[in-house]
Amino acid sequence: MNNRLTNVLVPVFAVLLGIIVGAIVMLVSGFNPISGYSALLSGAFGDQYYIGETIRQVTPYILAGLAVAFAFRTGLFNIGVEGQLMVGWLAAVWVGVSFEAPKIIHLPLAILAAALAGAIWGGIPGFLKARFKVHEVIVTIMMNYIALHVVNAIIRSVLSDQGYKSEKILASASLRSSLLQALTDYSTMHYGILVAILTALIMWYLLEKTTRGYELKAVGFNQHASKYAGMNVSQNIILSMVISGAFAGMAGAMEGLGTFENISVKSGFTGVGFDGIAVALLGGNTAFGVILAAILFGALKVGALEMPSAAGVPIELVDIVIALIIFFVASSYLIRLVLTRLKKEGK
């Protein structure tokens, strides 16, 4: 069994094991797992409306997963996607409400503003890592909290007359589509899914087909060897975090320009950035894998809303299933060991 096939099978087995153990948890808790999972599938893909809502949820998950995956592929651990997402959301809405312009200018400008805000927020820990060897995990975690409170302060003092949320963005900056809404029974699905898929293609092309992508990966594998080969290690570390932050900022734009069309004061984190870590891990840190993992997580999150009413299963059990999937992905060594033994026994 070659490594490529093993890399595909490991997340598949992780998902299956997570679902099986989740079913056992439901049984032990006195619930019917068949009814629970049936309600989950119905709530995610049961009709056009649910499909539209699932795709809408998948959209920021793809971009958050790409942000984490890009940093992973270049040897960095970006735990600050949540904060980068929030500043990107703020920047996108700010542009969306500040002035009028034709849609062909206004919408791309709002998305670019979100990417730039996320890139700056991600570039700060990248600079500290490159210049002072400060570990990016510590800095990015702390910057999540800074982003939360700074964004809330700006909403209250600059963007809001009501004190807790901004005005609705202008139609020229919106990702909403009357066509997509009509096709999905007036769900909140929007054109952001196209932006997310295009971004995944850009990440794949950058890492796999360009010299710069090769340098970024090389620095991630071995900084000393890369420096010996003449690569600028510090520059590549900063660039990696800037690109990762830009992806995260765009995830925020999807929420601000598509799902909600405004931004409100948050009492806590959105959770999308942290879920992006799980999406990246399950997707094997590849662009295509992230898309598939985002579809799974989006379906679980949206489908879970149907479980309490349709099957009497608490929504928290879906979080248990997600946690189990992450656990089995993290325990991939055991799955690889089993696959290796099965390969030997089959000879």
Side-chain angles (χ1 to χ4, degrees):
M1 190 178 296
N2 57 44
N3 288 333
R4 179 171 293 181
L5 181 58
T6 301
N7 290 337
V8 172
L9 289 177
V10 166
V12 170
F13 277 114
V15 172
L16 291 175
L17 288 170
I19 291 173
I20 291 169
V21 177
I24 295 172
V25 172
M26 288 186 201
L27 280 172
V28 172
S29 304
F31 302 106
N32 187 334
I34 296 177
S35 298
Y37 284 135
S38 296
L40 190 150
L41 285 173
S42 176
F45 305 109
D47 58 28
Q48 294 98 315
Y49 175 81
Y50 290 134
I51 291 172
E53 287 299 306
T54 298
I55 294 173
R56 186 267 307 161
Q57 184 67 58
V58 166
T59 300
Y61 276 167
I62 291 176
L63 289 161
L66 292 175
V68 178
F70 191 90
F72 271 145
R73 292 288 299 276
T74 55
L76 299 169
F77 199 2
N78 185 4
I79 308 295
V81 171
E82 184 71 28
Q84 294 149 20
L85 179 150
M86 294 185 74
V87 297
W89 187 340
L90 175 70
V93 171
W94 200 331
V95 172
V97 302
S98 296
F99 61 89
E100 297 182 16
K103 194 177 187 74
I104 195 171
I105 297 174
H106 203 182
L107 178 55
L109 188 62
I111 296 173
L112 287 173
L116 179 61
I120 293 172
W121 210 256
I124 293 171
F127 172 77
L128 294 175
K129 168 83 170 182
R131 181 68 177 83
F132 302 106
K133 309 301 180 185
V134 181
H135 204 291
E136 73 277 6
V137 170
I138 298 172
V139 179
T140 51
I141 289 175
M142 297 304 295
M143 290 193 69
N144 284 333
Y145 291 93
I146 296 172
L148 174 63
H149 296 296
V150 167
V151 167
N152 282 345
I154 292 175
I155 294 171
R156 290 192 182 99
S157 61
V158 179
L159 288 181
S160 176
D161 293 331
Q162 305 171 18
Y164 68 95
K165 70 176 181 179
S166 71
E167 298 177 3
K168 185 177 179 181
I169 62 171
L170 298 174
S172 57
S174 176
L175 283 165
R176 291 283 184 92
S177 161
S178 57
L179 173 62
L180 293 179
Q181 288 180 328
L183 290 174
T184 56
D185 197 18
Y186 299 97
S187 73
T188 53
M189 179 183 174
H190 50 79
Y191 282 129
I193 187 63
L194 302 179
V195 177
I197 292 173
L198 177 61
T199 305
L201 291 174
I202 291 172
M203 172 179 152
W204 169 80
Y205 183 80
L206 175 61
L207 288 178
E208 306 299 336
K209 300 295 181 181
T210 67
T211 303
R212 175 61 69 181
Y214 175 83
E215 284 193 16
L216 289 168
K217 289 188 293 183
V219 170
F221 283 129
N222 192 317
Q223 293 185 15
H224 299 293
S226 299
K227 186 176 182 179
Y228 181 78
M231 300 178 188
N232 189 326
V233 172
S234 297
Q235 183 185 80
N236 279 289
I237 289 174
I238 297 171
L239 180 61
S240 174
M241 289 299 294
V242 164
I243 295 174
S244 177
F247 290 163
M250 290 174 66
M254 301 303 101
E255 300 291 77
L257 305 179
T259 303
F260 298 99
E261 295 189 314
N262 65 9
I263 186 170
S264 59
V265 172
K266 300 287 186 298
S267 59
F269 296 120
T270 68
V272 174
F274 296 121
D275 287 341
I277 299 172
V279 169
L281 287 173
L282 185 60
N285 300 318
T286 64
F288 182 65
V290 164
I291 292 174
L292 294 180
I295 293 172
L296 173 65
F297 276 74
L300 288 172
K301 287 289 186 179
V302 174
L305 301 176
E306 190 73 9
M307 292 173 67
S309 59
V313 178
I315 194 173
E316 288 79 9
L317 281 172
V318 172
D319 291 327
I320 293 175
V321 172
I322 292 174
L324 287 167
I325 291 171
I326 297 170
F327 171 79
F328 286 117
V329 171
S331 306
S332 60
Y333 171 77
L334 296 177
I335 300 176
R336 291 177 187 274
L337 183 61
V338 171
L339 292 174
T340 302
R341 290 194 174 183
L342 289 174
K343 174 186 175 183
K344 290 180 179 178
E345 290 176 1
K347 288 184 178 180

